[in-house]
Amino acid sequence: MDITGLLDSAFSGADANTRNEAERQLSEFANSSFGEYMVYLADVLVNESAKPEIRMLSALGMKNQLTAKDPRTRAQQSARWVSLAGDAKQKIKESSVKTLLGNDERMTTSVSQLVSSIALIELPRNEWPDLIPTIIEHTKAENSVTVKRACLLTIGYICESADANDPQILAQSNGILIAIVQGVQANEQSTKVRLTALNALINSLQFISSNFSREGERNFIMQVVCEATQADDSDLQAAAFACLAKIVALYYNYMSLYMEKALYILSMSGMQSEDQNVACMAIEFWSTVCEEEFEIAFNLHEGTETPQMNSYNFALYATKDVLPVLLKLLKNQNEDPEDDDWSVAMAAGSCLQLFAQTTGMYVVDPTLQFFAANIGSTEWRDREAAIMAFGSILEGPEVEHLKPAIQEAIKPILNLIGDPVLQVKETSAWCLGKIAEIALGALDLQNDLQPLLEGMLHGLKDHPKVSVNCCWTLINILEQLCKEANEQQTSVMSVYYETFVPALVQLTDKSDNDFNSRASAYEALSAFVSYSAFDTMPIIHSIASEVLSRLEATIAMQQQATSADARSQLEELQINILSLLTNIIRRLSNEVLSAADNLMTLLIKLLEAQEPNALIEEDIFLAISAVASAVGPEFMKYMDSFLPYLTKALHNIESPTCNTAVGLVADLAQSLGPQITNYLDGLMDILGRNLNNENAKRDLKPAILSCFGDIAGVVEAGFMPYMDVVANICTQLSTVVPEDSSFETLDYVNSLKEAVLDCYVGIVSSLNQKPELLFSYLGHIFQLIEQIAADIELSNIENTARSAVGLLGDIAAMYPDGQLRSMYSQDWVTQFIKKTRANLSFSQSTKDAARWARDRQKRQIA
C-alpha cells in the first residue's frame, strides 16, 4: 500500500472527495492491520526526503491511534499497543525518538505528541526506561534550541495527561524537574526554550510535590519562576504568572514566606503591565489566592478541615493595595462593544467578585466610593466600570449591610439601561440581574419593582446583548418573588404577564439567535410559565397554542434545511421550543389530557424526522416524559407506538439519549403504575445488557440502577422475578474499587454506591408488606450502608445520608419483633444515625429521618 501517497492525498487532495477517500482508506488500514499501519507510518516519519507535511501527518496519524478523549476508546487503544509485537514497537519508538532529536523545527509539535502518547502507555507499565533519561540529556545547554524545545514539549505533554499519582512516573520526577528548571532559568539564551520549559513546569507541578516539600528545592523553583515574571518577553512574563497561580492552587500552605518576600510586589507590578496578557495572568494570581482562601474558609465552616488547612488571609491583607488597582483596571474595556475576548477589565471584574466572596465587607467602602465617583461621568468607560464594580461586590458581604447602598444605586443604574453606549447598557442590565438574583429583598418592591420591570421591557427591545441580560433579570425576579406562585391564585407578577409574555413571544419569533438572545427569551418565557399563578392560566394556554403551532411548522422546515449549518440552526430552535413546551406540560399537568393525542402525534412525528444520534432526541424524550407524568395511566394507549423509539434509544449506548431514555423508563413506571409490567421483560432485558456492556459510558450504570429502584417501588412483589439478578449486580457494583485516584474515577465509584442505595430503597419499599421475601438480601444492604457510613464524603452528602438512615428505619419497621437485633446492635449503626442527626448543615427532614431510624433501632435492640 502506498501510505505516502494516501497521506499526500489526505493532506492536499484536489477536492473534498479525494481527501475523504484517502482518510477512509487510512482509517480502514489502521483498523484491519494496526501493526503494519504503524510501522509504515514510522518509515514515513524518518524519511527526510518526504514532504514535511506528510511526515507531520504520519506522526499525528500514529498519535491518533494511541490516544483519544473517550476513556474506553483510550483503554482499547492502549491494550492494542501493548499487544503489538515487540520488534514493531521498538522500531516505532526508535523512529519517534530519532525524529524528536532530529533538529527539524517543523516536526517539533507533532512528534512530541507522538512520543508522549507512547510514553503514557509504557511508562506506567515500567517500560521504555531510557526515554526520560534520553529526553533529560537532550535538554542540556549544549543542545540546539529545536531539540531542547522538542524534549521539553514532550515532558509537558506527558505531565499534562498522566496520572499524578502513578508511581512509575513519580519516580522520574527528579529528572523531569531538573530538565525543566534548567530550561526556565535566565541563563537560557532562547526565549522559546524558556517559554516551553515554563509551560512544561505548569503541567508538571502535580508530580513534584515531594520536591516542593523540601525547602531548598522549593526555594529554587520559586526563584526561577519569580525571575521569569521580570523577563523582557511578555509571553514569558504571562506564563510565569500563570505558573505562580497554579503553584498557589497546589501548594498554598507553603506560600507565606514567598508572598511576603516577592509575590505581593511582583503581582502588583504585573497587574499594571501594559501588556494585556501579562496583566490578566497577574490578576489571575490573585483570583486563585481568593479561591483557595474561600475554599479553606468553607471547609472550616463545614467541619471538613485537615491538619494542614490554614488560611494566611492574603486576600484580606491585600485589599487595601490590590482593590484600588482592580477598580482602576475595570476601565480597560474592549473598544468594540461586540468583542467578547477576555480583557483586563473582565479579569479585574472576576477577581473583584472573588475578593468580595472571600473578604466580605472589606471591599464595600472602597467600591462604593469608586461607584459614586464614576457613575455620573461623561466618559462611558467610567460609567461602565462603576456599574461593573457595584455588581461585582453583591455576592459575599451581608445583603442587609448593602441594603442602603442598593436602594441608593438602583435608580442611577436603572437610568443607564437607556445609555447611548452599548457596553454601559449591557452591564447595567447585568448588574440589575445580579441584584435580582442576590439582593432583591434589599429593594423597596412597592416603589422599585415597577420601574425595574419597565427598564427590563425597554431592554428587551434593545441590542441582543442587552436583551439577554434582561431575560436573565426577569428569570431571577420570578424565581425570587414567585416560588410558591403555582399553588396560589395570584402573585405579585401576575399583573405583568399581559405585558411581558407578548414581548417575549415576539422576541422568540426572531429569525436569528445573535448572542443567544432568542434562546434567552425562550428561557424567560419558560420561567413565566413555571412560576405562574392560577389567574394567569389563560395566558399560559395561549403560549401553549403558539408553541405547538411553531413546533409543527419546524417539522415542515426539516426538508428545506439541506446544509449542515441550516440543520444545526433548526435543531437549536426546536430544542428551545421543546424546552418551553415541556415546562408548559408540567405546569398544566392533568389539563394536558385533552391535548395529549395531538401532543404525542407531534412528538413521535418529530422523532421520525430526526437523523441518528440527533441532539434533539433527548429533548423530545423529556417532553414525552412530561406528557406521561401529566396523563398518568392514560399514557398506556401511546406505549405501542412509542415503544420502538424507546427501545431503539436504550440500545444506542453511545448516545446521550440512552441516559435520558433510562430516566424515561423510570418516569413511565411512575406514570403507568403496575401496567408497566406488560413491557417489563423487554425493558429489563435491555437495561441488564447495558449494565454488562463494557462499552457503556460510566454515567449509564448509575442511571440504570436508580431506574431499577423506581420500577421495584411501583410493581412491588412483581419485581421478584428480577430480584436475584438485580441484587447480584448491586452487590458487585457496590464493591467496585477505584482504578485510579482521579476525581472522575472517585466520583464515578461514589455515584455507583449512591445508585445502588437508590435501588435498595425501591426494593425495600416494594416488599414492605412481604418482609420474608426481603430477608435474604439484608446482609448486602447493610454492607452498603456500612460503607456509606464509613465514607466521609458520602456520609456528608445530605440526600445519601437521608436515604441511608431512612432505609435503616424502614427495614427495622418491617421486622417489629427484633429479628434483626444483631444487625442493629453494631456500633457503626448507632454512630451513623447520631452523626446524621447532629449534622448542622442537614435539613430538618433529614434529621427527622435519623430520629425515626434511631427510634426503630432502639425497638430492635430493646
Side-chain angles (χ1 to χ4, degrees):
M1 179 174 283
D2 181 12
I3 288 289
T4 305
L6 283 175
L7 289 170
D8 195 17
S9 296
F11 178 75
S12 57
D15 53 56
N17 289 335
T18 302
R19 293 191 295 272
N20 291 339
E21 176 58 22
E23 289 173 5
R24 186 195 66 75
Q25 289 187 46
L26 285 168
S27 177
E28 192 176 278
F29 185 29
N31 291 331
S32 61
S33 306
F34 171 67
E36 193 177 352
Y37 171 84
M38 295 290 282
V39 170
Y40 270 132
L41 288 186
D43 287 338
V44 175
L45 181 67
V46 293
N47 182 2
E48 296 184 4
S49 63
K51 294 179 184 176
E53 297 84 1
I54 303 307
R55 295 177 67 203
M56 285 188 277
L57 271 184
S58 70
L60 293 175
M62 285 190 280
K63 186 267 293 185
N64 290 338
Q65 293 298 318
L66 299 172
T67 185
K69 289 183 179 179
D70 180 65
R72 290 176 297 112
T73 305
R74 193 164 59 246
Q76 292 167 357
Q77 291 173 327
S78 297
R80 187 172 60 172
W81 170 264
V82 169
S83 64
L84 193 62
D87 56 344
K89 285 193 285 189
Q90 189 61 30
K91 178 175 181 179
I92 294 163
K93 290 189 288 186
E94 287 174 356
S95 299
S96 302
V97 172
K98 180 181 178 182
T99 309
L100 183 76
L101 307 179
N103 205 28
D104 188 337
E105 187 175 4
R106 296 166 299 184
M107 297 299 298
T108 298
T109 301
S110 57
V111 77
S112 299
Q113 292 175 344
L114 170 59
V115 173
S116 66
S117 298
I118 300 172
L120 287 167
I121 299 173
E122 296 219 335
L123 292 182
R125 295 171 53 83
N126 204 21
E127 297 173 349
W128 211 359
D130 57 336
L131 173 65
I132 298 297
T134 300
I135 288 176
I136 293 168
E137 182 66 25
H138 286 83
T139 57
K140 291 181 177 178
E142 62 268 22
N143 290 282
S144 71
V145 167
T146 299
V147 170
K148 285 188 286 188
R149 278 199 69 237
C151 290
L152 288 165
L153 265 179
T154 304
I155 290 174
Y157 287 137
I158 291 171
C159 292
E160 183 180 25
S161 301
D163 179 2
N165 295 306
D166 188 287
Q168 302 302 331
I169 298 181
L170 286 173
Q172 307 277 2
S173 63
N174 286 336
I176 288 172
L177 184 60
I178 290 168
I180 290 173
V181 170
Q182 67 187 13
V184 176
Q185 289 180 81
N187 58 12
E188 169 57 58
Q189 297 300 306
S190 168
T191 299
K192 284 185 176 181
V193 170
R194 291 187 71 189
L195 184 58
T196 305
L198 199 47
N199 287 325
L201 178 59
I202 292 172
N203 289 331
S204 71
L205 285 170
Q206 286 180 295
F207 292 90
I208 59 171
S209 57
S210 61
N211 305 85
F212 220 87
S213 67
R214 293 189 282 272
E215 184 178 0
E217 293 182 50
R218 181 170 68 248
N219 288 342
F220 188 56
I221 295 168
M222 294 300 295
Q223 179 186 333
V224 297
V225 177
C226 287
E227 286 175 354
T229 66
Q230 303 303 295
D232 293 334
D233 184 79
S234 59
D235 288 340
L236 195 55
Q237 291 177 36
F241 280 116
C243 188
L244 288 175
K246 189 164 183 181
I247 287 172
V248 167
L250 292 173
Y251 303 112
Y252 173 89
N253 55 312
Y254 293 122
M255 289 298 107
S256 181
L257 174 66
Y258 306 108
M259 185 68 81
E260 181 184 336
K261 297 291 186 183
L263 300 183
Y264 197 97
I265 296 170
L266 292 175
S267 61
M268 289 289 294
S269 173
M271 289 166 66
Q272 299 173 78
S273 169
E274 293 183 3
D275 186 278
Q276 281 220 6
N277 198 24
V278 174
C280 284
M281 287 297 101
I283 294 168
E284 179 64 22
F285 169 80
W286 279 107
S287 293
T288 306
V289 169
C290 289
E291 287 170 344
E292 290 304 307
E293 295 188 342
F294 180 84
E295 185 177 356
I296 291 170
F298 177 81
N299 288 334
L300 290 170
H301 180 266
E302 293 293 305
T304 56
E305 70 270 18
T306 63
Q308 290 185 328
M309 189 178 292
N310 180 42
S311 177
Y312 297 115
N313 294 314
F314 294 140
L316 187 62
Y317 292 125
T319 303
K320 61 179 173 38
D321 293 323
V322 174
L323 205 61
V325 176
L326 290 175
L327 292 169
K328 179 183 175 182
L329 294 176
L330 287 175
K331 298 182 180 183
N332 290 11
Q333 305 97 327
N334 292 333
E335 188 68 41
D336 182 355
E338 297 192 356
D339 181 2
D340 288 328
D341 288 345
W342 191 249
S343 66
V344 172
M346 292 177 183
S350 176
C351 189
L352 180 57
Q353 290 185 56
L354 290 166
F355 262 92
Q357 291 169 20
T358 306
T359 67
M361 290 302 296
Y362 287 88
V363 302
V364 173
D365 286 345
T367 305
L368 292 182
Q369 291 167 15
F370 178 82
F371 175 81
N374 289 276
I375 191 66
S377 172
T378 56
E379 288 290 328
W380 75 264
R381 292 183 185 276
D382 296 347
R383 298 194 301 277
E384 197 276 342
I387 306 167
M388 175 60 73
F390 192 88
S392 296
I393 65 165
L394 292 173
E395 195 169 355
E398 292 289 336
V399 172
E400 193 61 32
H401 293 152
L402 291 174
K403 191 172 182 177
I406 293 171
Q407 290 177 344
E408 186 177 341
I410 187 71
K411 288 182 181 177
I413 294 173
L414 195 51
N415 288 338
L416 292 177
I417 198 82
D419 196 274
V421 178
L422 174 56
Q423 291 97 319
V424 178
K425 290 188 287 188
E426 179 192 2
T427 305
S428 175
W430 168 80
C431 185
L432 292 168
K434 203 74 178 168
I435 291 172
E437 179 188 35
I438 295 165
L440 194 61
L443 298 181
D444 176 3
L445 293 178
Q446 194 164 2
N447 295 315
D448 293 333
L449 181 59
Q450 186 163 342
L452 175 59
L453 290 172
E454 287 173 357
M456 294 304 99
L457 189 63
H458 177 82
L460 288 177
K461 301 169 186 174
D462 209 314
H463 188 280
K465 296 187 83 170
V466 178
S467 73
V468 164
N469 283 333
C470 288
C471 287
W472 177 58
T473 304
L474 288 169
I475 292 169
N476 290 335
I477 291 171
L478 287 160
E479 287 178 350
Q480 297 298 321
L481 298 182
C482 304
K483 289 177 182 176
E484 312 295 332
N486 54 19
E487 298 175 359
Q488 298 170 344
Q489 180 58 36
T490 190
S491 76
V492 67
M493 288 294 292
S494 289
V495 67
Y496 300 105
Y497 269 59
E498 290 187 353
T499 303
F500 278 96
V501 168
L504 288 168
V505 168
Q506 182 180 353
L507 192 54
T508 57
D509 201 30
K510 61 187 293 192
S511 58
D512 63 75
N513 188 31
D514 289 347
F515 300 99
N516 211 38
S517 55
R518 184 176 63 194
S520 296
Y522 270 107
E523 288 174 18
L525 262 182
S526 289
F528 272 92
V529 170
S530 298
Y531 297 104
S532 57
F534 292 122
D535 61 350
T536 63
M537 282 302 101
I539 297 175
I540 305 304
H541 281 283
S542 70
I543 300 174
S545 300
E546 175 68 20
V547 167
L548 286 173
S549 173
R550 288 187 186 182
L551 188 59
E552 195 150 17
T554 64
I555 296 175
M557 292 163 62
Q558 300 240 180
Q559 300 300 322
Q560 303 166 19
T562 53
S563 69
D565 188 50
R567 286 195 298 271
S568 175
Q569 290 181 21
L570 178 59
E571 184 176 58
E572 178 185 60
L573 173 60
Q574 289 176 325
I575 288 172
N576 290 331
I577 295 172
L578 280 168
S579 179
L580 175 55
L581 177 62
T582 300
N583 280 302
I584 292 170
I585 295 168
R586 288 170 179 161
R587 180 65 187 95
L588 295 178
S589 192
N590 55 13
E591 291 183 53
V592 169
L593 193 57
S594 60
D597 288 354
N598 184 32
L599 277 169
M600 286 303 298
T601 300
L602 195 57
L603 292 170
I604 287 177
K605 190 187 295 184
L606 194 56
L607 277 173
E608 288 175 349
Q610 301 311 313
E611 296 180 353
N613 296 325
L615 290 174
I616 195 175
E617 286 183 345
E618 289 186 76
D619 299 272
I620 301 171
F621 274 33
L622 290 172
I624 290 172
S625 172
V627 174
S629 297
V631 303
E634 295 297 320
F635 192 84
M636 190 69 179
K637 64 179 177 179
Y638 309 117
M639 280 299 293
D640 288 342
S641 58
F642 173 58
L643 191 62
Y645 299 99
L646 178 60
T647 54
K648 180 182 176 183
L650 290 172
H651 280 299
N652 189 7
I653 60 171
E654 295 294 329
S655 170
T657 308
C658 185
N659 288 50
T660 309
V662 172
L664 181 50
V665 172
D667 294 340
L668 289 173
Q670 298 293 332
S671 299
L672 296 176
Q675 293 182 97
I676 191 73
T677 53
N678 295 339
Y679 305 97
L680 210 49
D681 282 347
L683 293 172
M684 289 294 292
D685 180 61
I686 299 171
L687 294 172
R689 289 175 185 273
N690 286 352
L691 270 179
N692 292 319
N693 192 322
E694 293 182 358
N695 295 320
K697 293 182 179 178
R698 278 182 165 182
D699 55 352
L700 186 59
K701 290 185 178 182
I704 292 173
L705 289 169
S706 295
C707 178
F708 284 163
D710 289 324
I711 293 170
V714 168
V715 302
E716 298 181 348
F719 196 73
M720 286 307 298
Y722 317 104
M723 187 69 83
D724 284 344
V725 174
V726 171
N728 285 335
I729 291 171
C730 286
T731 302
Q732 291 170 15
L733 294 180
S734 65
T735 56
V736 167
V737 176
E739 298 172 354
D740 54 61
S741 60
S742 67
F743 172 79
E744 292 78 11
T745 298
L746 296 174
D747 185 57
Y748 167 65
V749 171
N750 282 346
S751 69
L752 278 179
K753 292 180 180 178
E754 290 174 298
V756 172
L757 182 66
D758 289 341
C759 186
Y760 282 150
V761 168
I763 289 172
V764 170
S765 172
S766 71
L767 299 179
N768 187 49
Q769 300 302 315
K770 297 189 176 182
E772 69 280 2
L773 298 179
L774 180 67
F775 192 83
S776 61
Y777 304 104
L778 291 178
H780 296 305
I781 296 175
F782 266 73
Q783 186 178 19
L784 173 66
I785 299 175
E786 184 176 6
Q787 287 180 35
I788 291 170
D791 189 301
I792 294 174
E793 183 178 346
L794 284 174
S795 62
N796 279 292
I797 298 173
E798 182 165 10
N799 287 340
T800 305
R802 181 169 58 243
S803 295
V805 295
L807 203 52
L808 287 171
D810 291 342
I811 293 171
M814 291 172 65
Y815 302 89
D817 298 327
Q819 298 101 310
L820 307 181
R821 178 184 176 86
S822 62
M823 289 183 171
Y824 281 90
S825 297
Q826 297 176 88
D827 184 57
W828 70 262
V829 176
T830 305
Q831 294 305 317
F832 177 47
I833 294 172
K834 286 183 177 179
K835 178 185 173 184
T836 303
R837 190 171 61 183
N839 193 312
L840 297 176
S841 65
F842 286 176
S843 65
Q844 190 58 45
S845 62
T846 300
K847 294 176 183 178
D848 289 343
R851 286 193 182 92
W852 149 259
R854 178 61 175 152
D855 177 66
R856 292 292 157 174
Q857 181 203 21
K858 287 178 180 178
R859 297 188 187 195
Q860 280 289 330
I861 62 179

